[in-house]
């Protein structure tokens, strides 16, 4: 929603402009909270893209490695929604599995409220985040290759319906 | 009077906040508040009803599937559209697999730490734990060496200073009562649960084409082309993969999850006294067996005021008993006005003001059934099924209660399930029942295909005028309903009344508390800086506030705070 769609924007941009080795998968996992675990537990390396709470200006792309993500323990959990990245990584560790290489490509949002529409600052940050993901893939020995004929990104949620605004029956 | 606030504060938009007032070691008053506005209803206005489910499943990041299902059912109901049998069975298998996954995760990875002391598990003797496990279950992976291996892993983990995974547990708390061997067994099964929840999720991925956010639905059926000899479609190989995964998960549920809940529950027998709260129950029927949605494998209905003689069934996808009796109040919610209205007549106009105990204090609306707050979820479903004489519910519930009674050496009856512990027991009973039903729906699907019926879709057509529809689904957290008004083929109104809205509802215009709030009153609190008992009761509902906003916090020091004022 709003700038919270930064991750999906980056994912769709990657998918529309690049091809990836067979053992690399590029996925929009939505907001799975605790349910992130089954998606990451068998991986060797994980690159996450998401908005983050940060003191930096909106649109600034910041990188966080595994140790940084795990530095503070998770707090009391009320529901399954609270982001489950730490839990997924720690549970993997406990089970003797899970990705050793972890990179979070994050940016602070301008607004993460209801509605479609990525803010200008975050729209501009998309190529920078894409570049970071590509650089990481290269470092991991799994470089992406540019599609000969890139498509436009499939950002289906951005289509504004003709009749917007409130219309009680 | 001490006031305790449990609030995830460092998120950009928070979710659930619970305030309780404690006096003399017990909760005197409680407020549950949703700290985020969902707003998907407004996003859907003006859109094509055939694509509503794609947006609706983004209401929630955890239970995406359930909103997709409720949404297509709502539009089909508005059109009076029947869907082919294969489509029902494929949807049912997805619904079951999703629920199995969700309930396993809830118990082992979300709420077990409320009852299990991980540090104490290090004192547990693997041989004794193994003997105990083998007295309860034929599960082949409860051997001494296997349990010792889990203990060694835990030891290594703790020695490496990585107890952070369990930092949200209150080990050493005076309310923790399990013997070290039971704690050790729970840790052992926690590790195994990682595998089995993943297998359940694989079933959703195979049938739904993708997970999270399945891709195979359509208003009118499903998009899973069936051709048993074609690699690109739903074929025999995929169907057998689904079956073998479901069988493996069923074994785990029947031989590990259900016995664990019985054993842990029996040792916390006093929690049958706490957490009843609202004892009006609502469940809707699900797992339809026919094209119209008039016959179901899971029963629905209502029970009022804990009185089983008030049981009244909900019988079809179009039952007026459900359709006509649901309303939502915004008297204490941050929307413009103070009305109580039927979902078709609702509007969603946010209006925030400073929270006040006796004023507006939540983004959650207050759903009411015949004007009453209702508890939804596995407990509602199990009680409604039990009282209605539903055979699988009776069989699994009786087995669970007998096991608990045997360990606790005290008779535990269905009437004692109105409680915090009862909600955990009911969830395990429901999971055991669903694991068994998975088999049946798989056979129904394969038999239908074997007869040469491969129909999966009936195309919808939209009239030029106005139609209204509702679709419900008995989701893991309880009754979910989507309501839509369609005008000229476009969505003119859309409302989702979600399970956690029923359970986490604030007070209504008559001051009636919602189920979370009511269940906390009278709850013991031994240490107000570590309100473990409050978390036990809140977690027993499996809270899941809609999560359309998601922002990580790698820089913050705390994700949530527990504050005693």
């Amino acid at each position: 929603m709003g700038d919270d769609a930064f991750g999906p924007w980056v994912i769709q941009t990657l998918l529309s402009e690049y091809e990836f080795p067979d053992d690399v998968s590029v996925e929009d996992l939505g907001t799975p909270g605790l349910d992130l675990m089954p998606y990451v537990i068998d991986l060797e390396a994980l690159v996450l893209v998401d908005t983050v709470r940060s003191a930096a200006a909106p649109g600034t792309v910041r990188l966080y490695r595994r140790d940084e993500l795990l530095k503070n323990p998770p707090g009391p959990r009320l529901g399954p929604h609270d982001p489950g990245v730490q839990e997924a990584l720690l549970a993997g560790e406990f089970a003797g599995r899970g990705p050793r290489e972890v990179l979070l490509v994050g940016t602070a949002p301008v607004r993460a409220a209801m509605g479609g529409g990525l803010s200008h600052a975050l729209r501009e940050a998309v190529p920078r985040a894409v570049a970071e993901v590509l650089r990481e893939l290269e470092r991991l020995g799994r470089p992406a290759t540019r599609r000969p004929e890139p498509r436009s990104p499939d950002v289906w949620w951005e289509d504004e319906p003709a009749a917007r605004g409130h219309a009680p029956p | 009077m001490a006031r305790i606030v449990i609030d995830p504060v460092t998120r950009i938009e928070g979710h659930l906040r619970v305030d309780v007032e404690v006096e003399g070691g017990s909760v005197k008053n409680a407020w549950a508040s949703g700290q985020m506005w969902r707003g998907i209803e407004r996003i859907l206005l003006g859109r094509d009803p055939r694509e509503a489910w794609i947006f609706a499943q983004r209401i929630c990041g955890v239970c995406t599937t359930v909103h997709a299902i409720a949404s297509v059912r709502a539009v089909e109901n508005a059109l009076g559209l029947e869907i082919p049998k294969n489509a029902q069975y494929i949807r049912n298998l997805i619904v079951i697999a999703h629920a199995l996954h969700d309930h396993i995760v809830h118990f082992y990875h979300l709420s077990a730490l409320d009852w299990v002391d991980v540090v104490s598990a290090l004192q547990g003797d693997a041989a004794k734990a193994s003997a105990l496990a083998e007295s309860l279950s034929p599960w082949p992976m409860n051997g001494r060496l296997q349990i010792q291996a889990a203990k060694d892993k835990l030891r290594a983990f703790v020695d490496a200073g990585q107890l952070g995974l369990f930092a949200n547990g209150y080990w050493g708390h005076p309310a923790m009562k399990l013997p070290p061997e039971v704690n050790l067994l729970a840790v052992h099964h926690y590790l195994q649960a990682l595998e089995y929840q993943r297998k359940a999720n694989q079933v959703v991925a195979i049938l739904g084409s993708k997970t999270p956010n399945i891709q195979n639905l359509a208003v009118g059926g499903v998009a899973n082309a069936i051709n048993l000899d074609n690699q690109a479609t739903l074929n025999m190989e995929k169907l057998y993969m689904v079956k073998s995964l479901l069988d493996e998960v069923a074994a785990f549920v029947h031989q590990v999850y259900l016995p664990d809940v019985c054993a842990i529950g029996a040792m916390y027998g006093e929690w049958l006294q706490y957490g009843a709260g609202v004892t009006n129950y609502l469940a809707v029927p699900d797992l339809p067996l026919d094209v119209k949605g008039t016959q179901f494998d899971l029963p629905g209905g209502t029970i009022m005021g804990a009185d089983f003689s008030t049981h009244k069934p909900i019988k079809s996808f179009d039952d007026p008993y459900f359709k006509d009796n649901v309303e939502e109040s915004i008297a204490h919610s941050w929307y413009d006005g103070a009305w109580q209205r039927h979902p078709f007549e609702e509007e969603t106009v946010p209006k925030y003001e400073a929270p006040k105990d006796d004023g507006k204090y939540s983004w959650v609306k207050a759903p009411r059934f015949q004007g009453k707050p209702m508890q939804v979820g596995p407990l509602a479903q199990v009680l409604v099924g039990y009282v209605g004489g539903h055979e699988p519910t009776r069989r699994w519930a009786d087995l669970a209660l007998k096991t608990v009674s045997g360990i606790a050496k005290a008779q535990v009856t269905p009437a004692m399930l109105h409680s915090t512990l009862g909600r955990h027991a009911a969830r395990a009973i429901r999971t055991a029942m669903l694991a068994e039903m998975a088999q049946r729906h798989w056979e129904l699907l394969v038999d239908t295909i074997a007869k040469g019926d491969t129909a999966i879709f009936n195309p919808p057509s939209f009239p030029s005028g106005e139609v209204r529809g509702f679709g419900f689904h008995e989701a893991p957290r309880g009754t979910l309903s989507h309501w839509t008004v369609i005008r000229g083929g476009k969505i003119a109104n859309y409302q989702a009344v979600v399970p956690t809205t029923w359970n986490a509802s604030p007070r209504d215009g008559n001051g009636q508390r919602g189920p979370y709030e009511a269940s906390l009153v009278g709850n013991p609190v031994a240490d107000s800086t570590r309100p473990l008992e409050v978390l036990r009761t809140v977690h027993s509902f499996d809270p899941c506030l809609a999560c359309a906003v998601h922002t990580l916090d790698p820089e913050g020091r705390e994700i949530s705070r527990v504050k005693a004022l």
Side-chain angles (χ1 to χ4, degrees), chain B residues 427-503:
Chain B
R427 191 170 294 109
I429 292 165
R430 171 182 150 88
T431 313
M433 189 159 62
L434 287 173
E436 178 181 85
M437 286 175 181
Q439 176 83 22
R440 172 168 151 86
H441 286 263
W442 186 87
E443 281 167 9
L444 285 167
L445 174 62
V446 171
D447 288 351
T448 312
I449 297 170
K451 284 180 195 142
D453 178 356
T454 54
I456 51 167
F457 176 67
N458 296 331
S461 69
F462 292 87
S464 54
E466 182 182 294
V467 285
R468 296 173 167 212
F470 71 106
F472 56 61
H473 167 40
E474 187 67 15
R477 290 166 188 81
T479 297
L480 166 68
S481 56
H482 283 206
W483 307 73
T484 185
V485 177
I486 300 167
R487 211 175 288 143
K490 299 279 181 211
I491 293 173
N493 200 0
Y494 202 98
Q495 295 292 332
V497 184
V498 311
T500 301
T501 315
W502 288 99
N503 285 338

Side-chain angles (χ1 to χ4, degrees), chain A residues 4 39 42 64 77 80 97, chain B residues 195 198 211 539 543 550 555:
Chain A
D4 203 41
Y39 300 97
D42 287 330
Y64 307 85
R77 173 177 279 283
R97 298 159 52 180
Chain B
E195 287 306 310
R198 206 164 56 106
T211 169
H539 281 164
H550 176 234
E555 294 174 16

Side-chain angles (χ1 to χ4, degrees), chain A residues 65-108:
Chain A
R65 290 277 168 193
R66 196 174 193 279
D67 292 350
E68 237 177 312
L69 292 172
L70 294 180
K71 162 174 82 179
N72 301 304
R77 173 177 279 283
L78 269 185
H81 277 293
D82 306 341
V85 174
Q86 290 176 313
E87 281 93 337
L89 296 177
L90 287 167
E93 179 117 4
F94 186 23
R97 298 159 52 180
R100 303 308 309 166
E101 295 280 354
V102 180
L103 176 69
L104 165 61
V105 178
T107 184

